[in-house]
Amino acid sequence: MNITNPNGDRKAVVIFSGGQDSTTCLLKAIADYGVENVEAVTFQYGQRHAIELEKAKWIAQDLGIKQTLIDTSVIKTITANAMMDNIEITKDEAGMPNTFVDGRNALFLLYTAIYAKGQGIRDIITGVCETDFSGYPDCRDVFIKSMNVTLNLAMDYQFNIHTPLMYLTKAQTWRLADELGALNYVREHTHTCYLGVEGGCGSCPSCILRENGLQQYLASKQ
């Protein structure tokens, strides 16, 4: 087996936002498949801030990865949330934050699968996680497995959805980035802040989760 391409001739497409998790997945895919066999799909879904799209474009170019941008912003006409609208981040009575975008991951996986089939790609990689997350139902393993079956049936094609971060804490995700030799790369070049602040606001749920995980990992190395 070719060491630089341990998966042989297989190709993969990564759902890529320019954030910590998807960038770690992209770097792992490059290690697993070889850079020439990896592509990225990024979604413009009407998010409030352009910075994550800018980060995603820069990282894809820097890593030499083909990136396809798909516009799904029509979703803004049928739903409202703090990721797309300029409103305060809150939680409902059940504890669900209003940063949850109904149907987003289902939509992302569907469009990525349509693209992947057209390119002859079977492996789809997404950075969803049900360990350290905000309670989003579309980040759960049961949803991903169900969606995998649905896509295979819908298109009569054998997709394989991979979720390398599904059961990792944020600290373990930082560890994975470090094992890939990219801890500082992920720290410096990715964006996860809900408020769109360059370098992070330090106070939104996403920034807090990211920083707490980083500090936990760094403490474990001492």
Side-chain angles (χ1 to χ4, degrees):
M1 182 177 290
N2 188 335
I3 295 176
T4 61
N5 183 9
N7 277 299
D9 292 329
R10 293 188 72 86
K11 298 183 183 298
V13 58
V14 179
I15 297 176
F16 180 56
S17 70
Q20 174 193 354
D21 293 344
S22 66
T23 301
T24 302
C25 287
L26 183 60
L27 291 163
K28 181 173 174 19
I30 291 171
D32 290 345
Y33 292 82
V35 67
E36 70 280 3
N37 291 306
V38 176
E39 295 189 28
V41 168
T42 300
F43 290 90
Q44 182 175 342
Y45 61 91
Q47 51 267 65
R48 286 164 61 176
H49 310 291
I51 185 171
E52 68 177 38
L53 294 173
E54 295 166 0
K55 294 286 186 181
K57 180 179 180 180
W58 186 92
I59 292 169
Q61 290 178 343
D62 186 62
L63 296 176
I65 296 296
K66 178 186 176 183
Q67 180 193 35
T68 300
L69 182 66
I70 300 176
D71 187 346
T72 57
S73 58
V74 66
I75 195 174
K76 289 191 69 172
T77 65
I78 55 173
T79 188
N81 52 75
M83 292 298 286
M84 299 188 296
D85 302 298
N86 190 21
I87 58 177
E88 182 182 357
I89 297 174
T90 60
K91 292 184 179 181
D92 64 19
E93 294 179 355
M96 176 70 73
N98 62 349
T99 50
F100 174 59
V101 182
D102 284 311
R104 179 173 60 174
N105 282 339
L107 197 63
F108 287 2
L109 286 165
L110 173 61
Y111 276 87
T112 301
I114 294 170
Y115 174 79
K117 183 179 179 182
Q119 301 298 310
I121 298 172
R122 296 186 182 275
D123 293 358
I124 298 171
I125 300 169
T126 178
V128 296
C129 166
E130 68 172 44
T131 305
D132 273 349
F133 75 130
S134 300
Y136 296 171
D138 61 358
C139 288
R140 297 175 298 172
D141 186 59
V142 65
F143 162 71
I144 296 297
K145 285 184 167 58
S146 172
M147 194 68 180
N148 203 152
V149 172
T150 296
L151 292 172
N152 290 1
L153 291 172
M155 289 183 242
D156 194 23
Y157 193 75
Q158 188 62 47
F159 295 107
N160 306 291
I161 303 178
H162 299 283
T163 55
L165 310 184
M166 179 58 73
Y167 298 112
L168 301 187
T169 64
K170 271 292 179 285
Q172 290 170 328
T173 300
W174 282 114
R175 179 185 298 278
L176 176 58
D178 201 8
E179 290 171 349
L180 292 166
L183 179 66
N184 289 332
Y185 189 92
V186 173
R187 287 181 71 174
E188 295 170 8
H189 299 301
T190 64
H191 176 85
T192 54
C193 178
Y194 284 156
L195 301 182
V197 177
E198 177 78 37
C201 70
S203 60
C204 75
S206 184
C207 282
I208 291 171
L209 187 62
R210 173 181 171 130
E211 183 62 21
N212 286 348
L214 176 60
Q215 294 309 317
Q216 289 171 17
Y217 173 59
L218 294 178
S220 73
K221 291 183 67 177
Q222 296 177 355

